[in-house]
Structures are given as C-alpha cells and as structure tokens.
Amino acid sequence: MREGWGDRALDVPRHPVADLAAARRTRLAEAFPGERLVLPAGTYKVRSNDTDYRFRPDTAHTYFSGNQTSDAVLVIDDGESVLYARPRSERDTDEFFRDRQYGELWAGRRPSAQEISDSLGIEVRHVKDLPSFDSESSMGRKSRDVTTDEDLGRVADELRLIKDDWEVGELQEACDITALGFEDSVRDWDRVLEFGERWIEGTFFRRARAMGNDIGYDSICAGGSHATTLHWIDNTGSIEPGKLVLLDMGVEGHNLYTADVTRTLPVDGTFTPLQRELYDLVLAAQQAGIEAVRPGAAFLAAHNAAMAVLAHGLEDLKLLPVSAQEALDPESKVYARWTLHGTSHMLGMDVHDCGRTSVDIYPKGDLAEGMVLTVEPGLYFQEDDLLVPEELRGIGIRIEDDILVTADGSRNLSASLPRTSADVEEWMGRHR
C-alpha cells in the first residue's frame, strides 16, 4: 500500500486576503505591544458517534490569517506571526491510510505547509511544533490571563467593525447569491406547497452550497403562525394557501462573509387587504430605519426610527393601551409586545458580527463609514394573543436588508430582492 505513489504538488495562487490579513495582524499586534497572541482555528465537533459536523474555522482566526483549515493556531508574538497548521500527511504514514479525520484517503487532500504559506503569505509550521504556553516560564511570559483573553476578543471584534472594499465585495456577493436562493424557492413553489417548509430550506441550501461555502445560519422558513417564532428553524410545517411565509435566509460565501435577508411572502402570490396593510406598515418602519443609517448617527437610530413608525401604526390599529407617544417612552415600550426584537445588528463573517465589542462602541456608539448592519423590523401577533383581534392572530411579518454605511448615507446590499408589496407580488408572479 505504501509503494508506487507519485508526488503531486499544487500550484496555489496567492489569496487576495493575504496582504489584508497581514495588515490586520499588524494592527492587532499594535494593540498588544510585547504580548503573545494566540488565535486557534478550532477542530472538528462530533455530530454523532464517529461522524463530525462540517468544519468551519473560528472567525477571528480566519480574519487575521486567511486560513480555513482545521486544527491550526495563529501565533502573533511581539509582532511576528507564525501559522501552526496541520498539513497533509505523507503517503508513508499511517495517518494517510488510516486516519478518518485527516487521512487523505478518508477526508481528501489537505494542503501542504508550503502551499498554505504560498497562498496566505505567512510562515507556516506543523502544529505538532506548537510550543506549550501553559507554564509561567515558557518563553519568559506570564501564564494565560482571562482578562487579557477577554481584551483580545474585544479588540479583535472592534477591528472587524469597519469593512474594507474587499470585504464589502464579499458581502455583496453573498447577498447576490442569497437573492438567487430566494428566487429558486419561488420557482419551486408547486413543490413548496406539496412538501412545505422543508422544501424551501433544502432549495436554498442547494444554492448556498453550489455558489458559496454554506448557509450563514440555520434558515428560518416559517409558514403561517410559525412566523411569530423569531428563530423557527425546525422548518417542519406546511405552507398553506391564504397565509404568509416568512423566509430569513443567508448565504455564507467562500471567504465566510454572510448575508442575512428576510422577506415575507403571500403564499397565494397576492396579499389580502389585511396582510397588505400590515406588510406596508412594516415596510414603512424598515424604510425609516434605513434612512436613519449614515455616518455619525447612533447605531440605535435605525431601531428608534423603525419603532416610532410601528408604535404609531399599532396605535392606528387601536392595539395600544396608551398613546404611541406614551408607548415610546423608555419606561413603557408596551409596543414591544408585538415588535419583540431590536431592529439591527452588525453583519460580516458572523451573522451577528462583532458581538464582543465594547458596548460603548456597539451598540451604544455611532455608525461609521464601512460598517455593515441589518435593518429588520417586524410585527408578530401570536396565535393565542387575546389582546389583538382574531384576524391578526398567527401573523408574523419581518423585512430585512443588509445596509452598508457609506460616506454620504447608506447602500442596500440586498436591494435586488423586492421590498414593496406590489413588487413582491410582481416578482412572485414572474418567477413562479
């Protein structure tokens, strides 16, 4: 078995992220002068018995190295960077023939250390040579400090808040592929009616895998009253005529940047008068939120603008126990019974991006050019909510787009998907 094998090297082009990642490492090192920074990629996680989930590297590791292989560790030591990786094994080793996780016959070919280095422009050593950093005497440094680890996580996320042009391109591509996945789902509407939510989930996943890396998060395909469950990912229900279906789905691109888009569609292709009234209210709230996005505005400006529209709409529907103005008082917020969640979150390599950032910067800080955030207000009337008329119960509507903060305002990266009720109906009629 070990004899008669040729040696085939790969001609690996330099990755477009290589120079960007080097600059990112420099900025990170400057935030921790004289420190050793360790950012692991992670390893496989068992799904069941001897089968693993598909590997997805840690976001910070990939952001600062470009590497997406498992079991790697990026070490930045006083500004000098080394990537410790697990390259492919030679054909004279047991690992090549017998290891189900790393053996080439079992799991496919891993790049060599030289190939990784050529692609990412960083020194690469075998992970078995990774030094132990546990002892106080190791390389003359102190032992791991939890506060320092928390600081590293915070700074790493804060550095990712502003997207460069390459990152914006990655997010735009993810949004464009996501739009195709939504179109695929509508084209398959006869099957959707036959098989329900599962068919939409599977159809979108096919597009995500064909043109991207994966889905960026578990798809929410929520027909009827399932739309009032914010994170409905079971996707086991039926799609019934006369009702709405809420689709919250996003493609993760090959470089791990993800879209996050929601559309609420009339199953029949046409909104009923009540559905249209509620949909148009949510759309008006979203538009107000989008218009509030600009450099120097508070991150929460989009949320506050959207909530003002929804509160006044709920007042017009005679659902509020007080006036809209009173409901909007921070001490009240009774409207939140039907709006449930914040309107925005940061977006990037994680669908809820930069979550370890200092709260004074996000969410309590201001927007800056290059940030990307969602704007996604919604209205949700639970099936058993006795405070709303019966005809409203079981209706959930959310509209979500991915918004880039530009020098003079904002740009909707997911604008290729229709938003107005009339455009949604025309789009469904064209693609069904």
Side-chain angles (χ1 to χ4, degrees):
M1 284 291 288
R2 298 193 183 198
E3 297 177 357
W5 300 100
D7 187 20
R8 176 174 51 90
L10 299 179
D11 182 16
V12 181
R14 188 174 177 89
H15 196 292
V17 80
D19 292 337
L20 298 171
R24 295 166 184 172
R25 293 193 295 273
T26 297
R27 292 195 298 272
L28 185 63
E30 288 172 349
F32 298 93
E35 292 290 331
R36 179 193 299 119
L37 310 177
V38 180
L39 295 91
T43 189
Y44 296 100
K45 183 177 181 180
V46 174
R47 181 183 185 276
S48 63
N49 193 23
D50 60 349
T51 61
D52 298 322
Y53 288 99
R54 182 181 289 117
F55 176 73
R56 199 273 195 189
D58 175 75
T59 293
H61 173 89
T62 302
Y63 180 79
F64 290 104
S65 70
N67 176 65
Q68 294 189 40
T69 64
S70 71
D71 302 278
V73 180
L74 172 65
V75 178
I76 306 172
D77 197 349
D78 199 15
E80 298 297 320
S81 299
V82 176
L83 178 65
Y84 293 88
R86 183 157 191 154
R88 68 170 177 266
S89 54
E90 300 299 327
R91 290 186 170 95
D92 60 354
T93 63
D94 286 346
E95 180 179 281
F96 179 88
F97 294 101
R98 296 181 178 179
D99 194 299
R100 68 173 185 83
Q101 283 188 321
Y102 306 109
E104 188 170 326
L105 294 183
W106 295 84
R109 182 171 183 155
R110 297 171 71 91
S112 69
Q114 188 61 53
E115 288 164 356
I116 298 173
S117 180
D118 290 345
S119 175
L120 301 180
I122 187 173
E123 181 182 352
V124 177
R125 303 174 189 169
H126 200 293
V127 72
K128 66 180 173 55
D129 297 324
L130 178 69
S132 172
F133 303 132
D134 290 335
S135 75
E136 294 184 356
S137 61
S138 173
M139 299 181 70
R141 304 297 176 84
K142 65 182 179 180
S143 60
R144 184 177 67 90
D145 182 271
V146 173
T147 302
T148 301
D149 287 351
E150 292 175 352
D151 287 343
L152 175 58
R154 175 182 56 79
V155 172
D157 276 19
E158 289 172 2
L159 288 175
R160 293 196 294 110
L161 278 170
I162 305 295
K163 274 61 178 179
D164 57 38
D165 290 343
W166 181 80
E167 291 180 285
V168 171
E170 292 294 308
L171 286 165
Q172 183 65 73
E173 182 179 43
C175 287
D176 292 343
I177 301 171
T178 295
L180 294 176
F182 273 81
E183 291 176 8
D184 293 340
S185 301
V186 174
R187 287 193 185 96
D188 250 4
W189 212 245
D190 288 343
R191 291 292 192 182
V192 169
L193 292 172
E194 181 180 1
F195 292 103
E197 297 166 354
R198 292 176 188 266
W199 194 268
I200 302 175
E201 178 185 351
T203 300
F204 186 82
F205 178 72
R206 181 177 65 236
R207 176 66 71 172
R209 285 292 292 156
M211 295 184 69
N213 178 59
D214 208 324
I215 50 175
Y217 52 95
D218 287 328
S219 297
I220 298 170
C221 306
S225 62
H226 288 163
T228 65
T229 300
L230 296 182
H231 290 169
W232 173 260
I233 59 172
D234 287 357
N235 301 335
T236 54
S238 59
I239 301 297
E240 300 177 10
K243 296 186 177 181
L244 300 173
V245 54
L246 187 157
L247 304 178
D248 187 338
M249 307 186 294
V251 169
E252 178 184 78
H254 292 295
N255 292 304
L256 308 186
Y257 289 83
T258 185
D260 181 7
V261 179
T262 305
R263 290 295 184 267
T264 304
L265 310 178
V267 173
D268 292 335
T270 304
F271 292 99
T272 68
L274 175 60
Q275 290 169 351
R276 186 186 305 275
E277 178 183 8
L278 296 173
Y279 183 94
D280 289 349
L281 173 56
V282 174
L283 178 64
Q286 192 208 26
Q287 185 60 34
I290 292 173
E291 291 173 358
V293 174
R294 62 184 183 277
F299 170 80
L300 294 172
H303 174 78
N304 294 334
M307 291 304 105
V309 172
L310 291 181
H312 282 92
L314 290 166
E315 180 182 45
D316 293 341
L317 291 168
K318 304 187 185 308
L319 297 181
L320 294 180
V322 297
S323 70
Q325 184 175 358
E326 292 174 284
L328 287 165
D329 188 301
E331 298 300 315
S332 172
K333 294 187 177 181
V334 294
Y335 64 84
R337 177 185 178 99
W338 301 291
T339 62
L340 295 181
H341 57 80
T343 299
S344 299
H345 58 77
M346 292 298 182
L347 185 69
M349 295 177 75
D350 292 336
V351 65
H352 289 175
D353 208 31
C354 306
R356 294 175 294 182
T357 298
S358 169
V359 295
D360 293 332
I361 296 176
Y362 165 60
K364 293 183 179 181
D366 294 338
L367 296 173
E369 182 181 358
M371 291 181 176
V372 179
L373 64 155
T374 63
V375 178
E376 50 173 315
L379 280 178
Y380 311 93
F381 302 108
Q382 307 299 322
E383 268 190 308
D384 54 356
D385 188 345
L386 302 182
L387 298 187
V388 302
E390 186 174 357
E391 62 268 22
L392 295 183
R393 297 173 195 166
I395 293 178
I397 299 171
R398 181 165 66 253
I399 309 170
E400 176 183 19
D401 285 278
D402 301 340
I403 309 299
L404 168 68
V405 183
T406 61
D408 57 356
S410 68
R411 186 172 95 227
N412 187 346
L413 300 179
S414 48
S416 62
L417 279 172
R419 291 197 298 135
T420 71
S421 53
D423 287 348
V424 167
E425 291 174 339
E426 187 278 330
W427 175 78
M428 290 191 71
R430 180 159 37 94
H431 290 295
R432 285 182 66 172

